[in-house]
Structures are given as C-alpha cells and as structure tokens.
C-alpha cells in the first residue's frame, strides 16, 4: 500500500488530522524529488565519465602526450575541487555527479599514463590501483550503487581470475561441505558488512555496499548450486539433487524468516518469488521420471502445509507475521 | 582546518598521478636505448584501448646492447597465459592498418622492432615501434 493510501486510511480512522496528513505528504514528496534528481545526476555522471574513458582509450593522436596529460590532470583537479565544493555547499545531487565523474576520470587517467608510457600490466594491477585512487571520492558518496561498483572493482583486482575459475570448476564437480562453507562464508561476510554499517553509516556507505555485494555473491552461489545440481540432471544422483533442493530452500526460507523478523516486506516477497521460480524450474527439468517427481512434489506441498499448521499453533510467529498487515 | 584537510584528501589522487608521471618521465629519459625484435602473441586480448600484443624474439635481438652481453629476458613484459606478453599502445585511427600489417608481417617480410629505455634494476619502458627500421608513423604514411 502506498504512503498516500496509508495516510488516507489513518485519517479516516482519526489517527491523523488533515494538517498532519498534508505535512507528512509534503515531506515524503520532497524526499521522492531528491531521489529523482539524485538518480538523474548519477546517470549523467556515468555518461560523462564513461565518455571520457572512451576518449582516452581511443588514444587520440591529434594531441601530443604532454597536452593530453596536462588536460587530464586539469580536469581531474577541477572535478576533485568540485566534489569538495559540493560537500561544503551541501549540494547532495551535484556531489554525487562530481563523485561519479571524478572516480571514472581517475581510472581514465591511469589508462592515459599507461598509454603514454607504454606500460604493461593486466587488469588486476590496473583495478587495484584504480580502487585505491577512487576510494578518496567514493567514501563520500551516499549512493549504494557507487559503493558497490567500487567493491566489485576492488575484488576483481584482488581475486585472481584463476582462483574464481578453479572455484566454479570445483562447485561444478562437487556438492559437499566446501560448497556449504562457501555459502555460509559469503553470508557471514554480508552479515559483517551489515554490522559494520551500523557503526559507519554516518560517515560512509561503503560498509552497506559491501554487505549488498556479498549478499549478491551468496545468491549467485546458491543459484549456481541449485541449477547445476538440482535442475541439470545428468551425472546427478537422487541424493545430490535433494541436497541441492535442501540448500536452496533452506537459504531462501532463512532469508524469508529474517525478513519477517526485520519486517522487511520487500525482501520477504522477493525471496518467496525466487522460491516459487525455483519450484517451476525443478518442474520444468523433470522430464525423465514423471511419476516419482509427481509424488515428490505432492509430498513437498504436504510438508509446506504441515509447516503452516505448526506455525499457526505458535503465537509468537503469528504476531511476527501480523507486522506485514 | 577540517576543510583544508578535506580538500587535501580530494587532491591526493591527482598528486599521486602527477608524481607517478614525473617518475616515469625521469625513468624513461635516464635509460639507455635498446632495440629488440618482436613477434606476435596469440591469442589477442584487447582489454582497453588499442594495442599490439607481442612477444620479444630474443633469438633475433642483439644482446651486446645489454650489460655483460646478457639479455635480461625476465625484466621485459609480464607473464601471461601463453608466455611473456608486452603491449604497445596505438591510436585508434591506425589500429586496423597496423593490426593487418603486424599479422601479415611474415608473408610480407616486415620487420617489427621496439625501442626500449633500459636501466639495470628498473622495468624497461617502450619508447618507439619501428617497422623495417623506420618509426611506425613514418612507415605507414
């Protein structure tokens, strides 16, 4: 239910006066406008920053190296000052615009220097150096997307491609305690990010961004395990398939439970939808043994009904569910 | 004081980059020029911008240019999947022409060489690419 409808309901039940209702609506509209303009600024910043990166990458021959370097440093200096100015003037939208451009420009500057001096070195050294330089701007951003991009850049530089390749190869061939440990480890990292954010959110949103990135990695790993072992049928024993189902549903069930505890309706619905999509995915993959699969689905449904019956008998959980109403 | 500190923090990346540029300029100018023969590196990996990926052909390189007449093979290029790989960045407008010329070098007997600035104990820096003994820009015009 939207905030406007909620306010109308509260007014009808005499919990709010007309004046209070108008004040709340005006406040929420102002916040919404800031969100709109902030998003527009970030989008513009992305386009401009990426455009600069592309121009640098083209290695434009019309200008000599000294001119290109001087122009680049002047630009970076200008945008660095612009970030400082927008913080001092409390212009949050412009601040995010300048942060995005300065961050991308710092990467473009590294690329330009590498071109001018013909430097070797692969993506990893470039990504780590860019992350270190870019941290100076990114820490000041209040936008999760920018923080998440920074973390992904840093992790792509620090984690060697060979390790990730070996990890996926391992998960593709083994479903065992290591896979569970990986999922648990990623979830713990996300939890640690959330805890750090409670202390640091006033200063920076990097901890919240880390929490989000780690949670995405957890979901990606669970999805990989669920599809590779639960839906792709060749080489998989019945036990391994059931184990994969257990991992996916236990994970999504735990996420739904946590969403109830924190009264996060969006998270609850999202995880519920993912569970439903996975059920359909399993159904679509069941073309070898229809009879056994049919019985399996019915038993699964009866188990869910049993769980609902147990929950309805437990007052504490019902009170938690009522938070969504 | 707090504002000055904030300003200094935001200018830190610029200062680092300027310092790095000065360091590289000094390194390149202080080194001795050495000429090395190059051959192709397969497969190509065009990550960002345009560049020619190559390996150094030590068999065709005069090692007398280096101290004690020993070619410092480990100092050049970086280790990649199929051996040590170097890059020479080229402007976009010449990329296709140079790419074709480089790929057909064996059939057209075109000799590619790179001039490096070399200093013992430091990473060599590529300065110029030669095609049949001429600077590449002059050679393709």
């Amino acid at each position: 239910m939207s905030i406007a409808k909620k306010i109308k309901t509260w007014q009808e039940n005499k919990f709010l006066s007309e004046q209070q209702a108008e004040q709340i609506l005006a406040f929420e509209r102002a916040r919404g406008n800031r969100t709109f303009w902030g998003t527009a600024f970030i989008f513009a910043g992305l386009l401009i920053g990426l455009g600069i990166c592309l121009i640098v990458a083209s290695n434009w021959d019309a200008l000599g190296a000294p001119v290109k370097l001087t122009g680049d440093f002047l630009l970076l200096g200008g945008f660095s000052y612009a970030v400082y100015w927008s913080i001092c003037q409390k212009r949050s939208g412009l601040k995010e615009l300048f942060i995005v451009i300065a961050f991308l420009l710092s990467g473009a500057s590294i690329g330009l220097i590498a071109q001018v001096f013909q430097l070797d070195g692969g993506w990893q050294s470039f990504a780590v150096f860019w992350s270190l330089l870019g941290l100076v701007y990114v820490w000041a951003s209040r936008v999760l997307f920018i923080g998440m991009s920074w973390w992904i850049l840093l992790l792509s530089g620090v984690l060697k491609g060979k390790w990730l390749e070996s990890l996926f190869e391992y998960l593709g061939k083994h479903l065992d305690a290591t896979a569970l440990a990986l999922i648990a480890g990623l979830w713990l990292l996300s939890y640690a990010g959330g805890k750090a954010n409670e202390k640091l959110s006033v200063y920076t949103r990097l901890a919240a961004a880390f929490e989000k990135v780690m949670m995405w990695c957890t979901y990606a790993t669970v999805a990989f395990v669920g599809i590779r072992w639960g839906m792709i049928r060749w080489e998989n024993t019945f036990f391994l398939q059931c184990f994969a189902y257990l991992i996916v549903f236990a994970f999504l069930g735990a996420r739904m439970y946590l969403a109830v505890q924190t009264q996060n309706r969006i998270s609850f619905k999202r995880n519920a939808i993912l569970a439903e999509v996975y059920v359909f995915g399993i159904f679509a993959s069941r073309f070898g043994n229809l009879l056994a699969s049919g019985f399996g689905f019915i038993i699964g449904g009866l188990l869910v009904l049993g769980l609902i019956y147990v929950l309805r008998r437990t007052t504490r959980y019902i009170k938690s569910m009522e938070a969504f109403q | 004081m707090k504002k000055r500190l904030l300003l200094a923090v935001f200018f830190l990346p610029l200062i680092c980059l300027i310092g790095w540029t000065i360091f590289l300029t000094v390194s390149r100018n202080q080194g001795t020029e050495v000429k090395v023969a190059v051959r192709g590196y397969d497969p190509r990996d065009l990550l960002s911008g345009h560049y020619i990926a190559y390996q150094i052909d030590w068999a065709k390189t005069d090692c007398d240019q280096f101290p004690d007449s020993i070619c410092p093979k480990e100092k050049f290029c970086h280790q990649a999947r199929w051996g040590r790989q170097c890059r020479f960045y080229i402007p976009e407008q010449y990329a296709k022409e140079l790419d074709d010329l480089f790929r057909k070098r064996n059939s057209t007997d075109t000799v590619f060489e790179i001039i490096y600035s070399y200093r013992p104990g430091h990473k060599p820096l590529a300065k110029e690419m030669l095609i049949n003994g001429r600077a590449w820009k002059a050679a393709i015009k």
Side-chain angles (χ1 to χ4, degrees):
Chain A
M1 192 188 280
S2 71
I3 187 82
K5 284 183 185 167
K6 280 187 186 172
I7 289 170
K8 194 177 169 195
T9 310
W10 294 333
Q11 254 190 294
E12 284 165 5
N13 286 278
K14 311 269 189 255
F15 296 130
L16 286 178
S17 67
E18 196 175 319
Q19 189 191 6
Q20 282 173 323
E22 277 170 22
Q23 279 177 326
I24 293 170
L25 277 172
F27 176 78
E28 289 297 321
R29 274 195 200 104
R31 273 179 54 178
N33 280 345
R34 277 203 289 274
T35 305
F36 172 79
W37 291 118
T39 306
F41 275 129
I42 290 165
F43 193 65
L46 267 178
L47 286 171
I48 294 168
L50 290 174
I52 295 172
C53 287
L54 285 171
I55 289 172
V56 166
S58 75
N59 201 348
W60 199 22
D61 199 39
L63 300 174
V67 173
K68 280 196 277 193
L69 283 170
T70 307
D72 181 74
F73 291 154
L74 283 174
L75 258 183
L76 186 59
F79 280 111
S80 298
Y81 183 77
V83 174
Y84 162 77
W85 172 85
S86 56
I87 290 175
C88 293
Q89 298 297 316
K90 295 188 177 19
R91 304 284 294 271
S92 57
L94 283 177
K95 179 189 82 172
E96 302 300 340
L97 167 72
F98 294 137
I99 282 174
V100 168
I101 296 176
F103 175 50
L104 290 171
L105 189 48
S106 61
S109 303
I110 297 169
L112 179 62
I113 293 172
Q115 274 176 15
V116 167
F117 293 97
Q118 300 293 351
L119 300 179
D120 290 322
W123 169 257
Q124 281 181 298
S125 47
F126 172 72
V128 170
F129 191 20
W130 186 4
S131 317
L132 290 174
L133 285 188
L135 178 60
V136 163
Y137 306 110
V138 167
W139 74 265
S141 172
R142 301 304 295 175
V143 174
L144 265 187
F145 166 72
I146 294 171
M148 287 171 71
S149 303
W150 182 84
W151 278 111
I152 290 169
L153 177 67
L154 177 68
L155 291 171
S156 73
V158 165
L159 298 174
K160 290 191 177 171
K162 275 190 295 189
W163 294 348
L164 288 174
E165 219 176 290
S166 308
L167 189 65
F168 275 108
E169 209 179 310
Y170 184 90
L171 281 178
K173 289 181 182 167
H174 305 91
L175 183 59
D176 53 14
T178 307
L180 284 178
L182 177 65
I183 292 168
L186 287 169
W187 199 348
L188 270 173
L189 284 171
S190 174
Y191 176 77
K195 283 289 169 199
N197 184 49
E198 284 171 16
K199 298 269 189 313
L200 300 172
S201 61
V202 173
Y203 309 107
T204 181
R205 295 213 71 194
L206 282 178
F210 180 74
E211 181 193 5
K212 266 270 191 292
V213 168
M214 285 298 114
M215 189 45 68
W216 279 14
C217 291
T218 315
Y219 272 93
T221 309
V222 170
F224 181 83
V225 164
I227 292 170
R228 162 68 185 92
W229 294 98
M231 286 162 58
I232 299 174
R233 298 182 60 245
W234 52 91
E235 297 172 21
N236 296 347
T237 63
F238 177 70
F239 170 75
L240 282 174
Q241 286 174 21
C242 289
F243 191 34
Y245 301 152
L246 190 63
I247 289 172
V248 173
F249 288 124
F251 174 74
L252 292 175
R255 294 291 296 161
M256 287 163 69
Y257 172 73
L258 286 171
V260 167
Q261 295 299 303
T262 56
Q263 299 180 21
N264 188 337
R265 178 197 285 264
I266 295 170
S267 175
F268 183 87
K269 279 189 177 172
R270 183 170 53 224
N271 287 289
I273 288 169
L274 286 174
E276 288 158 15
V277 167
Y278 191 61
V279 167
F280 276 114
I282 297 170
F283 171 75
S285 69
R286 297 286 99 193
F287 288 114
N289 194 341
L290 298 171
L291 184 65
S293 303
F295 278 117
F297 268 69
I298 291 169
I299 291 168
L302 289 172
L303 281 172
V304 171
L305 284 173
L307 185 65
I308 292 169
Y309 176 78
V310 167
L311 286 177
R312 285 171 73 88
R313 304 281 289 181
T314 313
T315 311
R316 185 162 64 101
Y317 286 110
I318 293 300
K319 283 205 182 300
S320 299
M321 294 297 283
E322 283 169 3
F324 281 159
Q325 292 179 10
Chain B
M1 178 65 189
K2 209 173 167 184
K3 282 191 174 178
R4 281 186 191 166
L5 187 63
L6 195 63
L7 188 60
V9 162
F10 286 127
F11 272 85
L12 209 52
L14 179 64
I15 294 165
C16 288
L17 289 169
I18 291 173
W20 189 35
T21 304
I22 293 170
F23 170 76
L24 288 169
T25 307
V26 167
S27 287
R28 193 161 71 170
N29 292 338
Q30 283 189 343
T32 314
E33 283 191 1
V34 294
K35 199 192 298 182
V36 297
V38 300
R39 60 172 187 263
Y41 178 91
D42 194 20
R44 295 284 301 273
D45 178 19
L46 292 171
L47 183 62
S48 60
H50 292 272
Y51 57 83
I52 286 177
Y54 61 88
Q55 287 182 315
I56 294 179
D57 192 346
W58 292 109
K60 292 181 181 172
T61 299
D62 178 15
C63 292
D64 288 336
Q65 300 172 93
F66 300 99
D68 301 326
S69 299
I70 298 171
C71 282
K73 295 176 187 176
E74 296 302 309
K75 294 285 182 192
F76 285 78
C77 310
H78 68 275
Q79 192 64 37
R81 191 173 280 200
W82 288 278
R84 299 194 78 82
Q85 186 213 54
C86 300
R87 291 177 185 175
F88 191 87
Y89 290 95
I90 49 181
E92 187 181 42
Q93 66 256 44
Y94 303 117
K96 188 174 182 329
E97 195 175 344
L98 275 169
D99 184 35
D100 289 342
L101 200 58
F102 193 68
R103 287 178 186 278
K104 291 173 190 166
R105 66 196 178 284
N106 291 329
S107 57
T108 56
D109 289 327
T110 309
V111 175
F112 279 78
E113 293 167 307
I114 304 281
I115 295 179
Y116 276 90
S117 169
Y118 175 72
R119 268 200 302 166
H122 291 80
K123 192 164 170 47
L125 294 170
K127 291 179 77 171
E128 181 61 88
M129 183 167 64
L130 303 179
I131 301 176
N132 291 334
R134 296 167 67 200
W136 69 268
K137 274 191 190 172
I140 62 171
K141 277 182 184 163

